[in-house]
Amino acid sequence: AAPRARSIELDVAGAFQQALVARTRLAATREAEQLAVEVHQVAIDSRDLGADTQLRVNAATADLGQARHSRLDAEGHYEAAIADLARALGAPAGDRVEPIGEVVVPPEAPWTEDAAVVRARAARPELSSADATLRVVRAEAALAPRRSRSWR
């Protein structure tokens, strides 16, 4: 029962963080789309005043289309993420759940991969024994062909 409960906790925590990430992405794409709308309008106004070209308007239109596409994609991801969260929580079908909070950003590890391996080896002495056994097995395997030739 305890492993199952832990599994549920991890599922809920993961779904919650994914929903927060999706919500943050959605907010960013909405801001980007709003900026693209403003840039597009500036390009149109500038062209109408003779200060810019239709090419600039076309580029702004393409950028606006990309921003809208990104926002729609982010909306879809957010909807899927909150559906996953509702499912993980066991919410009744049709209930909408909204995550509250901010994305948890884990702190950077204060060591490199090599330092982490050294630390893990120091904390787990059985690994040294396993390494020694592996070296012996490899050495014996390397010597096996020579031994079989010398016995002939």
Side-chain angles (χ1 to χ4, degrees):
R4 178 70 181 135
R6 183 67 180 142
S7 175
I8 291 170
E9 288 174 14
L10 291 173
D11 288 347
V12 170
F16 185 80
Q17 286 299 313
Q18 288 298 319
L20 289 176
V21 168
R23 184 188 66 194
T24 301
R25 177 177 174 234
L26 177 57
T29 58
R30 284 179 174 158
E31 286 181 36
E33 181 182 23
Q34 185 56 42
L35 286 172
V37 166
E38 292 171 16
V39 167
H40 184 254
Q41 189 57 53
V42 167
I44 290 171
D45 292 346
S46 183
R47 180 209 53 207
D48 291 348
L49 292 171
D52 222 330
T53 65
Q54 183 62 39
L55 180 60
R56 175 83 71 190
V57 173
N58 292 349
T61 302
D63 290 344
L64 177 57
Q66 180 61 46
R68 284 197 173 132
H69 174 78
S70 294
R71 190 234 335 131
L72 290 170
D73 185 54
E75 285 176 352
H77 279 95
Y78 182 64
E79 291 300 319
I82 62 174
D84 287 347
L85 177 58
R87 196 170 23 263
L89 291 170
D95 277 10
R96 184 174 176 87
V97 296
E98 294 283 341
I100 297 173
E102 298 300 320
V103 175
V104 175
V105 179
E108 282 192 41
W111 54 76
T112 64
E113 181 180 349
D114 292 337
V117 169
V118 168
R119 182 177 174 161
R121 287 179 188 269
R124 299 189 54 202
E126 77 274 12
L127 294 177
S128 295
S129 174
D131 277 348
T133 302
L134 183 59
R135 282 194 301 273
V136 167
V137 169
R138 285 183 178 157
E140 288 176 352
L143 290 175
R146 292 183 200 149
R147 286 184 184 158
S148 66
R149 278 185 261 142
S150 66
W151 290 343
R152 290 184 193 174

